[in-house]
Amino acid sequence: MTYERFEWLEIPDERTQQKKKTSGPEEALIGKRCPECGWLDEETATRCFRCGYRYNIDHAMAERIGQLGVTLPPRVIEADQNLENFFRTHGRARQPVTLPHYQLRLQAEALRLSRGFDRLICLDEIAVEHYEHQLEASLRALREMRGRALLADEVGLGKTIEAGIIMKELVQRGLVRSVLVLTPASLTEQWREELLNKFHEAFTVMEQPAEWEAVNEAAGGRWIVSLDRAKLARHRDTILAREYDLLIVDEAHKLKNRSTQAWQFVNQVRKRYVLMLTATPVQNDLMELYSLITILAPGQLGTVRAFRRHFLDTYDARQPRNASSLRRLLNDVMIRNRRSKVNIQFPRRRAAIYHLELSEAEWTLYRAVTEYIRRRFNDTDSTKHLRLTLLTLQKELSSSPQALAATLRKMLADRSHGPRVHEELENFLALAGTIPQSRKLTAVHEILDRFPGKFLIFTEYRQTQESILEALAARGIVAVSFHGGLDIRQKELAVQRFREEPDVRVLVSTESGAEGRNLQFCHQLINYDLPWNPMRVEQRIGRLHRLGQAHDVTIFNLSCNETIEAHVLDLLARKIRMFELVIGELDMILGNVDGAKSFEDLLREAWEAAGSEEDLRQRIDRLGDVLVHARRDYDRVREANELLDWALDGQ
């Protein structure tokens, strides 16, 4: 054992003490007697051996200090001190004040002693696997850029994580209380979940103006709102009425034009710190980069005329002139990491499509229900509710007979349908009941037999999930389920079993498993059915294909020939080559499709307008042409940013 300090204790001899006590008239010369217990000590003693009484304390002053509510430290108070000298000696210029004053002084001392941004103090408070380039980017944004930075890492390197770390660090240091996040509408819920699950910060997704009125009265706050909603007149004035400690803008390249309402709105938001996130700061020319930097640091790049004259190439507006000067200016406000530069090995994707032929019963069911849906959808008495139900039926046809049967039973319970419709629905339900195992279930068994290891199977519908679990159990394959009906404890237990128990080979999940779950310990995925929204497919893949995955990720897509699902899969796989993309690129491609309309909206419109299967095929082909153009636009944007990277690298 080691000691920082070792001290022998001198213990007086009892016999010597007794002799001193009875030595008669020479007592005054031998020692001094304790006023408390009468014990006789040596003249040099500072404390009574028997009762511990301190000889060198001004006990009258100590009593006065105690009356003030001050506990004496384990130090002596010299007899020649007065009360004023005591307070001065022990760090006080005056007598103790009230508790609020003390707390204020304590906070001031903590701020005085706090260190600068030479290290991150928030890392123990977050639940995220971070990487060296993310920590370096966060420190640089805090230390060198004073919390006003353009985070422009390439797609897939974790700009959201960097923004979260910076936000959490500022919150931990007491520098930020109110935070406003502006993001595309499709990402509001994703941002809320990540900030809550990974950074333990609760945000509210704002949708109605009244919600702003309610929260503005509170001190501080955490809000997320889509940029398109925030710039509307009914939200704009309320948002601009207050100041925010931190503003985070996702997909900041949407602010590339200074004349747009969106740019002007964000530029007017009063903010102390601001983080802007984009993987493509240049879309068409360098003036777009100028627009972004102007929000962060007005005047950093000079006037518009001076910027054009010094930095824009006459023949190619994407290619910068005077690259070294521009690099020095951008280094003050922009951080851009690239996959080729960071020490991270991304796993590869391997995608397979299983083209399946429906059984005779399945094909009869698909064709009959599709014809019914198309006829009923265009009926004059068709209501909005009925159309939504028919759309659900069309999607369930590509999933399983069990999912279809569940919706048919609900429709049969609706008495608003006439006898003829009831008869058709009952026939469909009876036909679905004759298909105990679909062709897709057979394909799942084939895949599991051929490829060893754990599998994650995704489906949209609970009834399909249950049919998969029953079929796997019948073959002796141990599987667990994950769906939105489970509570938090049950969800955690399902993931834990899938991860830790060797005999649990499959996790069958609905869409709830595609949100906020990292399952890098598994590297094989089966898309049992395919959502019409490609971003949900991307979220599924993102549970496995992400930083930290040690294996190549294999994706099996089940596709039944001559169905709308097959058309959608063809668009994703062949028109935009979705399965070759890095996580995050798909959203950037689809963001270039027909302005305000999503891919799912365009697909639904094509399905609704089609009068036959051949008409639907032609409409989907035209939609495929739109996707091809969107992919080409994205490739041009990526090329523009590669030119910028090349110039800023000094090559």
Side-chain angles (χ1 to χ4, degrees):
M1 182 179 293
T2 59
Y3 298 89
E4 292 182 2
R5 179 173 177 270
F6 187 86
E7 178 183 5
W8 286 105
L9 297 179
E10 184 176 350
I11 302 177
D13 187 348
E14 181 73 18
R15 288 173 298 177
T16 303
Q17 292 288 352
Q18 185 64 25
K19 180 179 178 181
K20 291 179 180 179
K21 209 171 181 181
T22 59
S23 56
E26 296 181 352
E27 174 181 322
L29 300 175
I30 296 175
K32 53 187 176 185
R33 190 175 298 280
C34 174
E36 290 290 325
C37 65
W39 183 266
L40 185 65
D41 275 310
E42 294 181 359
E43 187 65 32
T44 58
T46 60
R47 178 186 297 216
C48 174
F49 175 76
R50 175 180 290 174
C51 68
Y53 179 84
R54 292 179 181 269
Y55 297 116
N56 58 344
I57 287 182
D58 185 338
H59 290 277
M61 186 181 71
E63 183 178 357
R64 292 174 59 196
I65 294 174
Q67 291 173 353
L68 295 173
V70 178
T71 302
L72 286 174
R75 292 191 287 253
V76 298
I77 302 175
E78 302 300 334
D80 60 347
Q81 281 187 321
N82 57 32
L83 190 60
E84 181 179 352
N85 289 336
F86 170 78
F87 284 125
R88 183 177 297 111
T89 301
H90 294 282
R92 292 180 181 272
R94 59 184 67 85
Q95 296 185 15
V97 293
T98 61
L99 181 61
H101 283 82
Y102 166 75
Q103 292 173 332
L104 184 62
R105 175 64 183 274
L106 190 65
Q107 184 178 3
E109 288 297 317
L111 292 174
R112 183 178 67 84
L113 296 174
S114 64
R115 303 174 65 180
F117 292 112
D118 55 345
R119 66 183 182 92
L120 297 170
I121 65 174
C122 71
L123 298 183
D124 292 336
E125 303 297 325
I126 62 179
V128 60
E129 185 178 0
H130 42 73
Y131 294 85
E132 189 62 31
H133 74 275
Q134 295 170 340
L135 301 183
E136 291 176 357
S138 302
L139 279 172
R140 187 179 166 200
L142 290 165
R143 185 172 54 232
E144 300 176 17
M145 302 178 183
R146 300 296 187 265
R148 300 177 74 92
L150 175 61
L151 303 178
D153 289 358
E154 278 190 322
V155 175
L157 291 182
K159 294 181 292 297
T160 304
I161 299 300
E162 293 170 0
I165 292 174
I166 296 169
M167 175 203 69
K168 191 68 174 181
E169 186 74 14
L170 293 171
V171 169
Q172 288 284 94
R173 291 174 180 265
L175 299 174
V176 160
R177 298 176 66 190
S178 59
V179 184
L180 175 64
V181 179
L182 298 176
T183 181
S186 60
L187 300 179
T188 54
E189 192 61 26
Q190 180 177 321
W191 266 90
R192 187 194 65 79
E193 289 182 357
E194 290 214 6
L195 292 174
L196 178 62
N197 297 331
K198 296 180 179 179
F199 299 97
H200 310 302
E201 294 291 339
F203 278 71
T204 302
V205 177
M206 310 301 290
E207 296 181 351
Q208 301 298 329
E211 295 174 335
W212 289 103
E213 298 296 336
V215 299
N216 275 350
E217 299 176 359
R222 312 278 196 272
W223 308 293
I224 300 173
V225 63
S226 73
L227 178 58
D228 289 336
R229 186 186 300 272
K231 68 183 182 181
L232 296 177
R234 63 178 185 273
H235 292 276
R236 177 189 180 94
D237 293 341
T238 307
I239 295 174
L240 295 179
R242 65 166 300 146
E243 183 177 356
Y244 304 90
D245 295 329
L246 173 62
L247 172 67
I248 300 175
V249 183
D250 195 13
E251 303 292 341
H253 52 267
K254 296 183 182 298
L255 304 176
K256 60 186 178 182
N257 189 340
R258 297 189 312 283
S259 64
T260 62
Q261 185 181 15
W263 188 93
Q264 294 172 4
F265 164 74
V266 174
N267 193 46
Q268 291 180 53
V269 175
R270 292 179 292 160
K271 60 272 185 186
R272 182 182 307 169
Y273 307 106
V274 56
L275 302 174
M276 302 178 71
L277 285 60
T278 177
T280 54
V282 175
Q283 298 281 297
N284 297 296
D285 62 62
L286 288 176
M287 287 308 302
E288 297 162 350
L289 179 61
Y290 180 91
S291 299
L292 301 182
I293 301 301
T294 299
I295 294 177
L296 285 170
Q300 174 71 16
L301 300 180
T303 64
V304 173
R305 180 178 298 178
F307 183 79
R308 288 183 182 275
R309 184 172 64 252
H310 289 295
F311 299 118
L312 260 65
D313 189 278
T314 306
Y315 301 101
D316 188 351
R318 303 175 304 168
Q319 176 71 50
R321 297 170 53 198
N322 300 319
S324 59
S325 298
L326 181 60
R327 180 168 60 249
R328 286 194 297 271
L329 292 173
L330 292 180
N331 281 340
D332 293 337
V333 288
M334 186 176 82
I335 300 172
R336 182 165 173 81
N337 291 307
R338 273 155 282 159
R339 292 190 294 274
S340 60
K341 301 294 183 181
V342 300
N343 188 26
I344 291 178
Q345 185 65 41
F346 278 83
R348 293 187 304 169
R349 287 189 187 183
R350 295 190 303 162
I353 300 176
Y354 267 55
H355 298 280
L356 308 174
E357 290 291 343
L358 292 174
S359 66
E360 184 176 351
E362 288 178 291
W363 176 245
T364 300
L365 178 65
Y366 183 88
R367 183 174 54 192
V369 175
T370 299
E371 290 175 356
Y372 165 81
I373 292 172
R374 185 168 288 119
R375 185 179 71 251
R376 290 284 290 149
F377 197 89
N378 295 317
D379 280 351
T380 55
D381 61 343
S382 177
T383 63
K384 182 178 180 180
H385 175 73
L386 176 59
R387 292 187 176 189
L388 291 175
T389 303
L390 294 172
L391 181 62
T392 301
L393 272 181
Q394 184 68 66
K395 294 179 179 180
E396 290 171 338
L397 270 174
S398 298
S399 182
S400 71
Q402 291 78 13
L404 179 71
T407 302
L408 289 173
R409 293 189 188 96
K410 294 179 181 177
M411 295 179 70
L412 284 168
D414 186 354
R415 298 183 179 277
S416 63
H417 297 301
R420 180 170 170 270
V421 171
H422 267 266
E423 182 180 357
E424 285 186 287
L425 296 178
E426 287 174 351
N427 290 336
F428 297 151
L429 184 59
L431 183 55
T434 65
I435 310 172
Q437 181 164 307
S438 66
R439 179 65 183 91
K440 285 188 174 183
L441 276 178
T442 306
V444 168
H445 297 321
E446 294 170 357
I447 293 172
L448 294 179
D449 290 342
R450 182 179 175 186
F451 297 92
K454 292 182 180 288
F455 272 84
L456 175 61
I457 301 178
F458 268 114
T459 177
E460 283 199 271
Y461 303 103
R462 284 286 302 276
Q463 293 78 16
T464 302
Q465 179 189 48
E466 292 170 2
S467 68
I468 297 172
L469 291 169
E470 291 175 4
L472 294 176
R475 289 176 60 96
I477 299 174
V478 182
V480 293
S481 65
F482 190 103
H483 55 79
L486 302 177
D487 59 31
I488 295 177
R489 183 188 63 82
Q490 292 170 325
K491 289 180 178 179
E492 294 296 334
L493 180 60
V495 174
Q496 181 181 354
R497 288 192 60 199
F498 183 48
R499 179 177 59 246
E500 299 178 0
E501 297 183 17
D503 61 326
V504 178
R505 193 178 172 201
V506 179
L507 175 67
V508 185
S509 176
T510 59
E511 294 300 330
S512 62
E515 299 173 354
R517 295 283 168 176
N518 299 331
L519 306 171
Q520 294 100 318
F521 57 87
C522 175
H523 62 275
Q524 298 178 115
L525 178 149
I526 298 176
N527 282 314
Y528 193 88
D529 47 39
L530 210 65
W532 288 13
N533 182 354
M535 290 309 301
R536 287 164 63 188
V537 184
E538 180 85 346
Q539 289 173 359
R540 292 177 176 183
I541 300 172
R543 298 309 96 211
L544 279 62
H545 185 261
R546 60 193 305 111
L547 293 177
Q549 174 60 259
H551 301 87
D552 292 344
V553 173
T554 306
I555 306 152
F556 301 91
N557 301 284
L558 306 186
S559 172
C560 295
N561 295 335
E562 301 301 321
T563 64
I564 190 170
E565 182 180 58
H567 299 319
V568 173
L569 187 56
D570 183 71
L571 289 179
L572 299 180
R574 308 194 188 285
K575 299 297 184 180
I576 57 176
R577 305 190 301 279
M578 169 185 173
F579 300 106
E580 303 172 15
L581 301 173
V582 175
I583 294 296
E585 286 187 313
L586 178 64
D587 186 46
M588 302 180 70
I589 293 174
L590 297 180
N592 292 324
V593 176
D594 198 19
K597 291 184 179 179
S598 67
F599 171 83
E600 187 175 12
D601 291 336
L602 296 173
L603 180 61
R604 186 176 62 250
E605 288 177 0
W607 175 80
E608 291 175 354
S612 64
E613 285 299 305
E614 181 59 29
D615 187 18
L616 176 62
R617 185 179 296 107
Q618 294 175 1
R619 291 177 182 274
I620 290 181
D621 285 343
R622 289 195 289 271
L623 177 56
D625 294 336
V626 174
L627 293 181
V628 169
H629 286 298
R631 174 67 193 242
R632 290 174 181 169
D633 289 342
Y634 170 69
D635 289 340
R636 283 194 290 269
V637 169
R638 188 168 58 181
E639 180 184 352
N641 285 274
E642 288 173 353
L643 287 173
L644 177 64
D645 294 338
W646 180 82
L648 296 184
D649 282 341
Q651 299 176 352

